[in-house]
Amino acid sequence: MSHELDRLRAQMDEVNLKLLELLSHRAHLAQSIGQVKKKQGIHRFDPERERDMLERITKSNPGPFDNDTIRHLFKQIFKASLDLQQKNHKKALLVSRKQQPEDTVVQVGEVAVGGPGKTVIAGPCSVETEEQVREVARALRQQGVRLIRGGAFKPRTSPYDFQGLGEEGLRMLRRVADEFGLKVVSEIVNPADIELAEETIDVIQIGARNMQNFELLKAAGASRLPVFLKRGMSATVEEFLFAAEYIVSGGNSRVMLCERGIRTYEKWTRNTLDISAVPLLKQESHLPVFVDITHSTGRRDIQLPVAKAALAAGADGIMMEVHPDPAVALSDANQQVDIPQFEAFMEDIRNQGLLQPAEPMLR
Ligand code: PEP
Ligand code: MN
């Protein structure tokens, strides 16, 4: 009996090897077909051909497997062959560390973002008036912060809320930034406005709500400006990196990533800062990583420890909102810090040695 079992098993092993040989032969054929199709510019996936093959196979099915089982098995084989033909799509992403082990440094004016130092980007949620921007710009300059933010195109949840000053807002930011020797980061929501951005600002911000606006990502990929890409509020880290890949694969490698909190059931913060995303992104990608301490928390009282956590976790910088009079701000009134609070924050974080050496005092 056991002799019989051994004999059958030996036969089975032989069949397995024959099957393997046939599968490999089939795989080589699939690769050759893939090359011919590539030359002729034909789509790799051909559902009609698959149907034909399945029909032919099931017609000659001698049993004992029923046709559904045979169909299932062969579909697996077809899929594996297609994957083989499309192997190029499985190679490491351009944004991945496997592709580029060294850190990407994005030069914005004099600031080397992602270099050895840490970068602060600060400014009002929305650009409201020239005087408002000027007051903030002055404080930034005094604190050695060289990148000013401010929204001119505001993606607001309600259509009745302040939508931003648009082009006028960008020009206002430009004028004031030039007065103080600052560079401008501002959100663009429409691919058609990339040209305007190139004329007026220094860094294109793509906001959380637009992280998967693929046409906008492609337009940013074709731009000569660096891009500050924020994580979607329900995006996984992988989806975030794919969004960055859209920009980089379009030819623009100057991308900065920003974790800005994700949506959870927690109500005591506006979003939940996913601090683990920071070391994960640094590990998986060579792009600079920021943490937005304002939108991730939605409150002022924990911004300092959150900033410390972000920098300790390896972030290359932080983004925060500063407004001369947050109580009357046209957007995000509850979370922006005023200028004395911003100054105290900067002093604290500098005293702890967390910003050196990229943010020397410019006074
Ligand atoms: C912003 O930074 O102005 C903003 C709208 O943030 P987010 O896109 O992260 O919500
Ligand atoms: Mn805001």
Side-chain angles (χ1 to χ4, degrees), residues 125 149 154 295 321 332 335:
C125 180
R149 60 147 287 146
K154 294 302 297 179
H295 294 95
E321 288 184 346
D332 287 350
Q335 64 186 33

Side-chain angles (χ1 to χ4, degrees), residues 284-319:
E284 290 301 313
S285 171
H286 49 80
L287 299 174
V289 175
F290 280 73
V291 169
D292 175 342
I293 60 170
T294 301
H295 294 95
S296 59
T297 60
R299 50 195 294 169
R300 304 180 184 100
D301 53 347
I302 55 170
Q303 286 185 3
L304 182 66
V306 164
K308 285 190 207 163
L311 296 172
D316 297 289
I318 52 175
M319 169 174 265

Side-chain angles (χ1 to χ4, degrees), residues 104-246:
T104 283
V105 176
V106 179
Q107 196 70 38
V108 185
E110 291 171 4
V111 184
V113 178
K118 309 286 186 179
T119 305
V120 176
I121 302 175
C125 180
S126 302
V127 176
E128 296 165 8
T129 65
E130 192 148 332
E131 199 34 49
Q132 169 229 19
V133 180
R134 188 169 288 114
E135 273 188 62
V136 176
R138 188 177 298 120
L140 259 54
R141 175 81 203 189
Q142 277 177 359
Q143 291 301 321
V145 172
R146 285 170 274 178
L147 302 183
I148 187 168
R149 60 147 287 146
F153 294 100
K154 294 302 297 179
R156 303 304 300 278
T157 302
S158 162
Y160 305 115
D161 285 340
F162 177 58
Q163 302 286 307
L165 298 180
E167 178 173 348
E168 188 196 341
L170 294 188
R171 296 198 188 279
M172 206 177 268
L173 272 169
R174 175 78 280 149
R175 277 197 298 279
V176 177
D178 285 348
E179 259 177 61
F180 292 91
L182 306 175
K183 296 290 174 194
V184 176
V185 182
S186 196
E187 179 162 357
I188 294 297
V189 296
N190 185 344
D193 287 331
I194 297 279
E195 229 174 284
L196 171 67
E198 289 180 340
E199 214 185 284
T200 51
I201 62 176
D202 304 294
V203 177
I204 294 168
Q205 178 171 320
I206 295 184
R209 288 155 194 80
N210 273 314
M211 188 207 83
Q212 283 189 321
N213 179 340
F214 300 113
E215 294 310 311
L216 183 61
L217 296 174
K218 286 182 206 166
S223 170
R224 60 172 178 81
L225 291 185
V227 179
F228 189 83
L229 177 66
K230 301 186 84 175
R231 179 180 180 182
M233 57 188 85
S234 58
T236 62
V237 170
E238 189 180 38
E239 287 163 344
F240 189 19
L241 287 176
F242 271 121
E245 184 78 3
Y246 263 90

Side-chain angles (χ1 to χ4, degrees), residues 17-37:
L17 288 180
K18 270 191 202 148
L19 265 177
L20 180 63
E21 206 175 297
L22 284 171
L23 280 174
S24 303
H25 182 48
R26 193 187 186 287
H28 284 302
L29 281 173
Q31 280 177 321
S32 306
I33 290 175
Q35 270 160 9
V36 174
K37 281 184 174 175

Side-chain angles (χ1 to χ4, degrees), residues 345-362:
F345 171 91
M346 287 299 293
E347 195 157 318
D348 252 324
I349 209 138
R350 203 165 25 236
N351 283 344
Q352 308 213 5
L354 289 170
L355 290 184
Q356 305 301 335
E359 298 285 338
M361 299 293 283
L362 290 180

